[in-house]
Amino acid sequence: MAPALCCNCKTERALIKRPKNHAKLCKACFITIFEDEVHHTINSSQLFHPGEKVAIGASGGKDSTVLASVLKTLNERHGYGLELVLLSIDEGIKGYRDDSLETVKRNAVQYDMPLKVVGYDELYGWTMDQVVETIGKKGNCTYCGVFRRQALDRGAKMLGIKHVVTGHNADDVAETVLMNLLRGDLARLSRSTSIVTGDSRSEVKRSKPLKYSYEKEIVLYAHHKKLDYFSTECIYSPEAFRGSARGLIKQLERVRPTAILDIVRSGEDMARLVPGESPSSCACKGQKSAVVPSLEDDIGGCASQNGRTPGGEMAAMDKQLRENETHEAVEVDVARAISENKAGGEKEKALPIRSSHGTSRGPTRQVLGNCKRCGYMSSQEICQACMLLEGLNKNRAQIQI
Amino acid sequence: MADASESATIPITVDFSGGLEMLFDNKRRHSISLPATDVGGKPANIAFLIDHLCRNLMKDPRAELFVFDGHIRPGILVLVNDADWELEGEEAYEIQPRDNILFVSTLHGG
Amino acid sequence: MVESKSSEPHLRLCLKCRVQEATLDSRSQPVCRDCFTKFISTKCIKQIGLLGKETRPPPPSSGGGPPTGTRHYLLGLSLGVSSTVLLHLLNENVEFQLARGRNVPFDLTVLHIDTTTVTPSSPSSPVPLSPPHSAAKKSLEAYRAHYPRFTFLNLPLSTALSTSTSTSDPHHHSGPNPASNPPWPHSSSSTTAAGTAASRSDVTRHLTRRALQTQARARGCQALLLGHSTTALAELTLAEAAKGRGFALPWVVGDGPATPGLGLGGDGDGDGDGDGDGDGDGDGDGNGNGMGQGDKERDRLLVHHPLRDALRKELVIYAGLVEPPLTGLIQADKQDEGPVVSHKDLSIEEVMARYFAEVEENYPSVVANVARTTGKLVRAGREGGGESCGLCGLPLDEDGDERWRGELGIQEGSGSPTATRLGRLCYGCERSTVG
């Protein structure tokens, strides 16, 4: 096969075939176009303002490393005037974070950015190793994910930063769309596709500048720019490709590479079809409508899995749905159904992924308040992290007895 | 069995990254001698290489993290001398001496 | 003591009737054969009952008076398990009513759309207009013998898309015929998306659905019945989402009005005219769907999925349980498992079918939840008399298109949106035809 030429510069050998449009590009053109597209997203969604202090949620993995690299490049190239900081979370998993934290430390030097590491132990009084000791490996991803989401916000607050960017990519968003369809959670479906979460009332705004970037291109960008990133499976994460939405997405990509962005598109469009949602959430027509409240649950996943659903998710979902079926025959909004059931004075479930003692709230938009215990923004009286902590602390007390 | 054409091999390097190295002795780069032809006498291609790697190089029992339904698991990128294998004919690409084949997983690590 | 020990563990009683031995496992309950078949038919009859309330029989052909005519439905028969089971259950329902001395509840026309003649092996090869495939023809003979009460039709896709009810003259079209004139570009390179298995299957599916609606309207049917199981609807939901068709999903997965007028030339002279008060539908499901005021009563075709509450695996079991088993009638699924030639050569539907086969086995409640969820989404488009897609006939999403272009920016290598000879295409169909 004669080597194909780059369709952009028409001189260099093409090394990349873009999933979104089959375009064949050489290395240099690919890197430029990839960066240009992120720049376009940042512009069209008006993600930043000059002088803004922005924390990059950095795990040392490919997505956040690419995000840091691209933001540094664009900040300099286009004069965003951003003050970029790397913010890293230490879950307290021996032998896992050690290496990835080393990577983040090197990144801090490479990109000339300050680094702040916040540990679960300082934030919650528990390391993940201790959590696993107490509850076992099953379900620990839930704890890790819930703790992690708050950890970034709390870390940012400690630094006096009001904007956290994360490396969530198009594959992550597409996965969340499918998961929310499977889960039947329309409220979260409409929230999860938003590029920015957190409104004026929340202390920390979240955004995902790589929302439209294919994971494949992120990996290729890191490869061709020879970025220093770290990849390993979280040692506590179960190997669960089977039945996972992630595996499904990758198979769809193989059949039709555009499918990933097409799912993102579907998710955005369906968000407008959720009863009670504003008919147009067009970012270019009005910033306000594009900004939706960020809750602790907008994208699931743990540090290593970054947005991907942990293995037990489907089983837990099925179990919950079954319980709902036996309760009130047909209730569609699972999250709501659970919180309503809970309000009826039910005991803890083994794996309270979305459950908590429900305050009654509107059908789609959840009413934001603050957790009574920690003050963190939450749709419930007690936020998820505090709920989980309560269970853990009870367990610890029992073990000590 | 050991006739000349069958024992001929092609020297290549195979790289694993993105978490796949853990399936292959935690080593990123492997220099291997790939048989020049498959059992049927056809020139070695990527499909044959993948099979060869599973049989001979993989130290981990979890082959399903690398292959799925007899093909490379969707979500693993294959680069042939730095070019996306989709530009090179994918599984049908015939391997040349001193080729570098890189397998990168996108399935691990955020 | 000894006796009970040895016999009890072996004989499981049906959890429903508590009389017969449980030989089957239904939604993690042991049940007997009779209770299982009853369970399935009840699920279907309930839906047929709902449909009966939403449709009104046509008025008598001459003169006034109360409507005495019979409801007329069209059943889309793919020759697969689900639509065959639906056919069987509909027949059973009619027999049941007749046995009780009641009127026939509905007339049924069973239509098989033969797609073997249109799926081109490559986009450049001309589309043959050959007579209906003989295998399908043979199958239909068997169906006809099995269910003599109903009318059976076998139409090639290209013929069925035309609104003429005459089957003998395929040239008697009014308006463009997308099947014989596929919307993908003829001259483009070999890598156009229409060349992939996924895209061919997409286009064929949309045209088949469209053909069924066209025929139902042309024959004055009040409803088009489709055999989708819970599992099939869940697959459809995710498959449509994966094709960027989320916007139109409620139209495709829900029960309710078909997309009004597909803009395909003159309508057949349906005999459903004249029923003055077209009760504004759309209650019940709270979808606020409602058709444009200007739509004619004959356009008020409903699309229903009476098997929406049964899992696919349950229908497969059912097909083997009835006497005589339906398995002899059913055409083997071509796409059933088997080794994968290449992950790339599957269609999106096949990927979904494989995925849901697993999910259905392990997490049936998740499957059931998907279709229920989509049922809650609003049917958008059309109210303002918006445009529909020239291929699938579903509403275009102008706002979404505009926003999407804004978000992604102009991409290299992609031309302007395609205006085909079918008119404008929706985002999903654009994907299917030009990639």
Side-chain angles (χ1 to χ4, degrees):
Chain A
M1 205 183 274
L5 285 184
C6 171
C7 72
N8 196 52
C9 65
K10 302 193 168 55
T11 47
E12 294 297 314
R13 177 183 168 214
L15 292 182
I16 287 99
K17 190 175 172 195
R18 303 201 69 193
K20 68 195 274 184
N21 58 10
H22 313 297
K24 296 169 184 176
L25 296 175
C26 70
K27 188 155 112 183
C29 289
F30 165 69
I31 287 172
T32 312
I33 288 175
F34 182 88
E35 289 162 354
D36 285 351
E37 288 179 356
V38 178
H39 173 60
H40 176 90
T41 303
I42 289 169
N43 265 342
S44 64
S45 304
Q46 297 166 35
L47 289 189
F48 305 124
H49 58 80
E52 192 173 6
K53 230 178 153 183
V54 176
I56 301 169
S59 66
K62 58 182 165 42
D63 299 303
S64 57
T65 304
V66 166
L67 179 62
S69 167
V70 171
L71 283 186
K72 179 183 172 60
T73 305
L74 295 178
N75 193 29
E76 288 166 5
R77 183 181 298 159
H78 299 283
Y80 290 167
L82 299 180
E83 196 181 316
L84 297 168
V85 177
L86 294 174
L87 175 57
S88 219
I89 305 301
D90 186 354
E91 295 86 354
I93 303 174
K94 272 208 187 59
Y96 166 60
R97 265 307 168 203
D98 306 350
D99 294 336
S100 60
L101 279 178
E102 284 311 311
T103 312
V104 182
K105 283 177 193 163
R106 286 197 303 275
N107 289 159
V109 177
Q110 288 152 2
Y111 304 140
D112 190 23
M113 291 177 194
L115 166 67
K116 170 76 187 171
V117 181
V118 192
Y120 276 12
D121 47 353
E122 357 170 6
L123 290 172
Y124 305 106
W126 288 80
T127 65
M128 276 313 291
D129 282 336
Q130 291 169 329
V131 170
V132 171
E133 239 170 69
T134 309
I135 63 153
K137 288 192 181 186
K138 211 178 159 201
N140 80 84
C141 288
T142 307
Y143 287 78
C144 197
V146 168
F147 288 167
R148 182 177 176 74
R149 280 186 290 272
Q150 287 202 11
L152 278 177
D153 288 15
R154 291 175 180 207
K157 233 167 105 181
M158 282 164 68
L159 297 176
I161 297 179
K162 295 197 156 106
H163 191 169
V164 175
V165 290
T166 55
H168 291 108
N169 56 42
D171 295 51
D172 295 328
V173 176
E175 180 186 16
T176 313
V177 169
L178 293 192
M179 281 311 290
N180 284 328
L181 280 176
L182 292 169
R183 191 190 277 129
D185 191 336
L186 290 178
R188 201 170 315 130
L189 174 73
S190 66
R191 218 185 301 126
S192 62
T193 53
S194 270
I195 189 160
V196 179
T197 51
D199 60 15
S200 51
R201 282 187 305 158
S202 59
E203 293 167 273
V204 179
K205 166 174 143 179
R206 290 282 198 102
S207 66
K208 354 184 217 284
L210 300 182
K211 178 189 166 188
Y212 297 110
S213 305
Y214 273 79
E215 188 160 57
K216 172 178 172 178
E217 294 200 344
I218 287 171
V219 169
L220 290 176
Y221 184 89
H223 172 74
H224 288 298
K225 277 203 86 169
K226 302 199 165 35
L227 299 186
D228 182 7
Y229 72 92
F230 179 79
S231 49
T232 187
E233 199 72 11
C234 168
I235 54 170
Y236 290 139
S237 113
E239 303 291 356
F241 286 121
R242 291 233 156 236
S244 78
R246 195 65 173 198
L248 177 60
I249 286 200
K250 294 297 182 187
Q251 286 177 53
L252 290 170
E253 182 184 23
R254 191 85 180 102
V255 168
R256 183 188 287 170
T258 60
I260 289 176
L261 272 183
D262 292 345
I263 292 171
V264 175
R265 162 88 198 243
S266 284
E268 290 184 0
D269 290 345
M270 287 163 79
R272 290 178 294 141
L273 305 179
V274 175
E277 290 296 310
S278 60
S280 167
S281 57
C282 176
C284 46
K285 280 183 185 164
Q287 275 305 291
K288 256 185 200 150
S289 53
V291 180
V292 301
S294 92
L295 291 174
E296 59 269 56
D297 54 3
D298 60 344
I299 282 200
C302 75
S304 97
Q305 290 190 309
N306 187 33
R308 192 146 342 181
T309 43
E313 182 86 4
M314 291 292 282
M317 231 158 75
D318 192 65
K319 188 167 165 259
Q320 286 193 343
L321 289 168
R322 255 181 235 245
E323 282 168 14
N324 293 337
E325 275 164 19
T326 51
H327 267 91
E328 188 70 56
V330 185
E331 177 59 68
V332 174
D333 187 331
V334 179
R336 207 186 340 146
I338 289 164
S339 69
E340 278 162 8
N341 288 342
K342 288 262 160 195
E346 208 183 289
K347 1 139 211 48
E348 294 274 10
K349 284 203 180 74
L351 219 183
I353 292 189
R354 306 296 169 202
S355 61
S356 40
H357 296 283
T359 49
S360 63
R361 47 194 154 88
T364 50
R365 278 289 161 87
Q366 296 174 331
V367 178
L368 279 180
N370 296 82
C371 171
K372 283 192 171 167
R373 293 205 186 143
C374 67
Y376 183 79
M377 187 178 60
S378 166
S379 58
Q380 315 288 334
E381 269 181 55
I382 311 289
C383 74
Q384 286 184 321
C386 287
M387 291 288 301
L388 295 178
L389 280 173
E390 186 180 272
L392 281 175
N393 291 333
K394 263 185 208 154
N395 259 316
R396 177 145 63 189
Q398 276 170 10
I399 288 167
Q400 279 162 354
I401 291 164
Chain B
M1 182 76 196
D3 91 37
S5 72
E6 262 187 51
S7 57
T9 58
I10 317 175
I12 58 168
T13 53
V14 182
D15 287 359
F16 300 98
S17 82
L20 286 175
E21 48 280 54
M22 72 180 175
L23 300 179
F24 296 90
D25 215 10
N26 273 313
K27 238 173 80 185
R28 190 193 148 92
R29 170 154 297 189
H30 297 253
S31 295
I32 64 166
S33 298
L34 185 72
T37 54
D38 66 11
V39 263
K42 278 192 241 141
N45 59 16
I46 303 259
F48 173 69
L49 170 67
I50 290 168
D51 188 54
H52 179 84
L53 293 176
C54 289
R55 287 170 196 271
N56 302 299
L57 200 61
M58 196 181 292
K59 299 278 192 244
D60 200 287
R62 293 171 297 172
E64 75 276 7
L65 297 180
F66 188 58
V67 288
F68 172 71
D69 281 346
H71 300 271
I72 198 85
R73 171 171 278 285
I76 294 176
L77 307 180
V78 186
L79 302 190
V80 178
N81 302 320
D82 244 13
D84 191 333
W85 75 330
E86 290 181 43
L87 297 165
E88 304 287 342
E90 304 194 5
E91 289 185 342
Y93 171 81
E94 288 180 11
I95 292 174
Q96 306 300 315
R98 287 171 301 282
D99 271 353
N100 171 261
I101 315 288
L102 166 64
F103 296 93
V104 200
S105 174
T106 65
L107 298 161
H108 308 257
Chain C
M1 290 299 265
V2 180
E3 283 161 15
S4 67
K5 251 189 188 171
S6 61
S7 62
E8 256 180 19
H10 293 291
L11 186 77
R12 283 192 313 168
L13 276 187
C14 169
L15 214 68
K16 291 196 171 158
C17 63
R18 299 192 183 274
V19 175
Q20 300 196 68
E21 186 188 349
T23 51
L24 295 159
D25 205 53
S26 168
R27 315 219 170 178
S28 46
Q29 286 183 347
V31 292
C32 67
R33 184 188 162 282
D34 289 351
C35 286
F36 179 81
T37 49
K38 208 169 126 195
F39 170 73
I40 297 296
S41 70
T42 311
K43 283 194 174 297
C44 176
I45 298 312
K46 187 182 135 207
Q47 294 292 332
I48 291 295
L50 289 175
L51 175 62
K53 283 182 195 150
E54 282 186 42
T55 50
R56 52 185 60 229
S61 42
S62 61
T68 54
T70 308
R71 289 176 181 82
H72 191 181
Y73 301 151
L74 187 85
L75 168 66
L77 182 72
S78 71
L79 308 178
V81 177
S82 302
S83 55
T84 304
V85 168
L86 178 55
L87 170 61
H88 182 85
L89 289 167
L90 291 171
N91 185 59
E92 207 178 72
N93 184 234
V94 172
E95 276 175 1
F96 176 84
Q97 302 281 356
L98 289 176
R100 302 213 154 182
R102 298 183 189 148
N103 288 335
V104 177
F106 49 81
D107 286 334
L108 191 70
T109 300
V110 184
L111 173 59
H112 173 70
I113 301 285
D114 192 333
T115 57
T116 52
T117 54
V118 277
T119 312
S121 50
S122 84
S124 51
S125 72
V127 181
L129 257 179
S130 57
H133 201 245
S134 59
K137 208 172 177 181
K138 227 184 230 167
S139 283
L140 273 185
E141 289 305 329
Y143 277 91
R144 208 171 269 136
H146 215 89
Y147 305 105
R149 177 188 325 282
F150 302 135
T151 313
F152 284 81
L153 290 170
N154 181 24
L155 297 179
L157 179 52
S158 49
T159 312
L161 280 164
S162 89
T163 49
S164 159
T165 48
S166 130
T167 58
S168 57
D169 183 9
H171 303 288
H172 187 248
H173 306 148
S174 46
N177 187 330
S180 57
N181 232 348
W184 48 74
H186 290 286
S187 55
S188 57
S189 67
S190 58
T191 53
T192 53
T196 67
S199 298
R200 280 197 303 275
S201 132
D202 276 5
V203 172
T204 307
R205 284 173 68 94
H206 290 304
L207 294 180
T208 303
R209 194 179 180 95
R210 198 169 151 167
L212 287 169
Q213 292 188 16
T214 304
Q215 291 299 321
R217 283 203 171 91
R219 289 160 204 281
C221 297
Q222 286 87 46
L224 166 64
L225 306 182
L226 299 173
H228 294 71
S229 60
T230 307
T231 321
L233 289 172
E235 283 168 22
L236 187 61
T237 299
L238 264 62
E240 293 290 287
K243 295 174 194 169
R245 314 176 68 87
F247 184 72
L249 206 48
W251 290 95
V252 180
V253 180
D255 287 346
T259 33
L262 290 162
L264 265 195
D267 230 316
D269 296 323
D271 49 3
D273 290 335
D275 185 345
D277 89 77
D279 72 342
D281 51 68
D283 43 2
D285 54 0
N287 272 345
N289 35 46
M291 321 212 315
Q293 273 304 79
D295 289 304
K296 299 191 186 95
E297 178 63 21
R298 67 154 176 264
D299 265 348
R300 195 178 172 279
L301 174 71
L302 298 177
V303 180
H304 271 238
H305 309 82
L307 295 180
R308 59 166 52 250
D309 292 329
L311 296 170
R312 174 177 293 134
K313 62 178 177 189
E314 293 172 333
L315 299 182
V316 171
I317 295 172
Y318 181 89
L321 286 181
V322 297
E323 279 302 329
L326 303 174
T327 33
L329 286 174
I330 295 163
Q331 269 191 359
D333 253 341
K334 303 141 238 161
Q335 61 187 43
D336 248 7
E337 296 306 305
V340 184
V341 186
S342 154
H343 293 303
K344 219 177 172 172
D345 293 333
L346 296 170
S347 67
I348 285 177
E349 283 73 21
E350 285 167 322
V351 172
M352 286 302 173
R354 283 162 185 267
Y355 177 74
F356 272 102
E358 214 171 277
V359 177
E360 184 190 54
E361 197 51 47
N362 300 307
Y363 317 113
S365 296
V366 172
V367 178
N369 198 43
V370 177
R372 254 189 274 142
T373 305
T374 2
K376 283 266 167 144
L377 293 173
V378 174
R379 290 186 180 214
R382 294 302 304 191
E383 283 108 319
E387 252 186 281
S388 354
C389 169
L391 177 52
C392 68
L394 293 165
L396 290 176
D397 177 15
E398 313 266 1
D399 286 353
D401 288 341
E402 191 189 318
R403 185 189 42 71
W404 189 249
R405 281 186 198 108
E407 292 285 3
L408 292 191
I410 311 294
Q411 300 156 25
E412 82 286 356
S414 79
S416 54
T418 29
T420 66
R421 73 199 116 228
L422 296 170
R424 289 181 55 201
L425 299 184
C426 69
Y427 177 81
C429 284
E430 229 175 77
R431 289 307 210 193
S432 303
T433 54
V434 270

